[in-house]
Amino acid sequence: MIQQVANKTTKLALFCKVVDNFGDIGICWRLARQLCDEHKIAVTLWVDDLISFQKICPEVKIDLRQQFVQSICIHHWHSQDEQFQTEEIADIVIEFFGCDIPPDYIATMAKCEPKPVWINLEGLTAEEWVEGCHTLPSSHPQYPLTKYFFFPGFTSNTGGLLRENNIASDYADFQKDPGNRLAFLSSLGLSHEEAQGFTVSLFCYPHAPVEDLLRTWEASGETINCLIPVGVAKQAVHNFLQEEALTGLRIQRDNLNLRIIPFIPQQAYDQLLWSCDLNFVRGEDSFVRAQWAQTAFIWHIYPQDENLHHKKLRAFLAKHLATTPASKAFSLAWNDASANPNWADLWKEFRQDLPKIRTLSAEWQAEMQDIGDMTSNLLSFINTKR
């Protein structure tokens, strides 16, 4: 029997299969915390990979089948053959990105009265077809159940972006005192003098052209602090350094000051984004957080067969208010969507655009806020189906 959290009545089950190591669980953990903290819903998060989960939430124990972390019940999902009773079924059932939830859970959902509201929470995309599919129903072929497709997105005809109520005030408080940035970067090993320089966080998939970029920065006309979480693009970083990239390693090469930093828990990641002049992000979770950081970012999109991710990338760049010709060219090259890039020229032109991009980023953020936060929009839709 799944335990109850005191004083919470609505039960919600969120199912997550980890495909992109940190993006999937990052989104689901952030959503689970917002549902619990802001909307007082009793959440059970079913997740199949506790090792990746622990990276972004160190409180998670990887050897427990069930545990409570921050008032959320975490269930290690290791089998499709689990059996359920009707009292174990949640009032709201969310499967992330079309993961197949246990067959007996679905069968038991069909026995419940009233039936749970069943949501397939889809991945984020700026492609236009999403607006026509957002909130569409799908009847189950065997049971009297209906599943609804819910798409996050960038227009009022989608679900919007994940955003907690306090993120704007937290950002304002952090930026109010320049000492906060210096203190945070100091905690990652930068000296006071270094922390006042141009600083970049680099989070990408292994196939990114990291060596080309690091060599470009090495020969740049300004000192650049590059912070890379341990394990990110491990082989490429090793090739550049010619040594193992262990936590705490610092290498100074001409104008590049490269540091390997610990993998930062999710709740501190925003401070890293706020502290940097430019952020390289990947997947979906860090991509969304970069948009709330009001600074420039480059997105490394999760690769798909037949380069379908390039279409998705171009759709976002066409919609994103803070995209300039230089940032578009750099983004396409970073995602291997352009031929024979000249990295020195790409960086020079992109670097010149950064002040303009920062201004446009604040305007883009205001547009996204007007859509409303995804979690509240999701619950508003669910309430129409209960």
Side-chain angles (χ1 to χ4, degrees):
M1 180 73 66
I2 296 175
Q3 301 177 48
Q4 297 290 320
V5 180
N7 300 320
K8 295 183 179 172
T9 54
T10 301
K11 296 188 298 181
L12 182 147
L14 173 57
F15 289 84
C16 173
K17 284 192 175 180
V18 177
V19 178
D20 173 7
N21 294 41
F22 308 110
D24 302 318
I25 186 54
I27 295 161
C28 291
W29 181 232
R30 201 177 296 282
L31 173 60
R33 287 193 288 113
Q34 190 177 8
L35 288 164
C36 178
D37 296 343
E38 296 181 12
H39 300 279
K40 309 307 177 187
I41 292 174
V43 179
T44 297
L45 174 57
W46 294 72
V47 58
D48 65 342
D49 181 356
L50 296 180
I51 295 175
S52 292
F53 193 176
Q54 189 186 59
K55 287 279 190 179
I56 63 168
C57 181
E59 299 166 68
V60 170
K61 304 293 190 296
I62 63 174
D63 57 347
L64 296 180
R65 183 175 182 183
Q66 182 172 286
Q67 58 192 295
F68 276 87
V69 176
Q70 300 178 30
S71 298
I72 295 165
C73 180
I74 297 167
H75 193 109
H76 186 198
W77 179 15
H78 56 81
S79 172
Q80 288 288 83
D81 298 326
E82 296 193 50
Q83 302 295 305
F84 300 89
Q85 302 298 318
T86 53
E87 60 266 26
E88 296 179 274
I89 303 302
D91 306 300
I92 302 166
V93 178
I94 300 177
E95 58 183 49
F96 180 69
F97 211 26
C99 65
D100 295 321
I101 64 179
D104 193 65
Y105 197 98
I106 298 173
T108 310
M109 285 167 59
K111 300 175 184 177
C112 295
E113 289 297 340
K115 302 286 190 294
V117 180
W118 187 6
I119 301 290
N120 181 359
L121 179 59
E122 287 285 353
L124 176 62
T125 181
E127 294 167 289
E128 291 185 1
W129 62 264
V130 165
E131 294 188 359
C133 297
H134 180 55
T135 71
L136 282 183
S138 175
S139 298
H140 194 277
Q142 183 178 355
Y143 301 114
L145 295 169
T146 300
K147 176 164 56 177
Y148 298 91
F149 294 87
F150 195 92
F151 285 82
F154 305 98
T155 72
S156 58
N157 293 322
T158 67
L161 301 178
L162 269 173
R163 173 175 54 85
E164 301 88 349
N165 285 340
N166 62 345
I167 188 170
S169 60
D170 287 350
Y171 173 82
D173 289 343
F174 187 84
Q175 297 295 348
K176 200 177 297 181
D177 181 359
N180 291 330
R181 177 181 184 272
L182 295 177
F184 183 81
L185 292 177
S186 175
S187 73
L188 298 178
L190 270 68
S191 68
H192 183 84
E193 182 181 1
E194 289 170 340
Q196 297 182 74
F198 189 86
T199 302
V200 180
S201 71
L202 181 58
F203 186 39
C204 61
Y205 295 110
H207 60 282
V210 171
E211 292 180 70
D212 292 326
L213 184 60
L214 295 179
R215 291 193 182 96
T216 299
W217 286 344
E218 187 180 12
S220 69
E222 67 178 327
T223 299
I224 296 176
N225 301 312
C226 178
L227 308 178
I228 306 180
V230 64
V232 170
K234 187 176 180 179
Q235 188 59 51
V237 175
H238 179 274
N239 292 344
F240 176 78
L241 297 176
Q242 290 299 301
E243 62 179 288
E244 191 173 358
L246 300 176
T247 302
L249 179 67
R250 174 191 171 183
I251 297 291
Q252 183 78 42
R253 293 216 186 145
D254 294 332
N255 282 328
L256 173 63
N257 175 25
L258 189 152
R259 283 188 179 275
I260 305 301
I261 63 174
F263 207 93
I264 296 175
Q266 189 178 68
Q267 288 174 290
Y269 184 64
D270 285 324
Q271 295 182 42
L272 175 64
L273 297 176
W274 300 341
S275 297
C276 291
D277 301 287
L278 170 64
N279 295 297
F280 286 76
V281 293
R282 78 181 203 190
E284 184 171 326
D285 183 58
S286 60
F287 169 52
V288 171
R289 302 316 283 188
Q291 293 177 62
W292 300 129
Q294 294 190 35
T295 193
F297 67 89
I298 294 293
W299 181 29
H300 200 207
I301 190 168
Y302 188 79
Q304 294 177 290
D305 292 340
E306 300 179 359
N307 287 328
L308 293 178
H309 56 298
H310 289 166
K311 182 178 180 181
K312 188 174 177 180
L313 173 65
R314 292 177 187 276
F316 173 72
L317 294 175
K319 191 176 294 292
H320 186 219
L321 179 64
T323 295
T324 67
S327 67
K328 178 180 179 179
F330 196 100
S331 295
L332 292 174
W334 185 245
N335 284 276
D336 194 28
S338 62
N340 303 315
N342 182 314
W343 286 101
D345 289 345
L346 286 169
W347 173 249
K348 180 181 178 181
E349 293 169 8
F350 177 52
R351 178 69 180 89
Q352 290 172 346
D353 268 5
L354 286 183
K356 178 181 179 180
I357 292 171
R358 292 191 193 102
T359 300
L360 293 173
S361 294
E363 296 177 19
W364 170 257
Q365 184 184 103
E367 281 193 14
M368 294 302 98
Q369 287 175 331
D370 287 343
I371 299 171
D373 74 276
M374 191 203 78
T375 303
S376 296
N377 292 339
L378 173 61
L379 291 176
S380 293
F381 171 74
I382 288 171
N383 286 336
T384 68
K385 303 302 175 184
R386 298 180 69 183

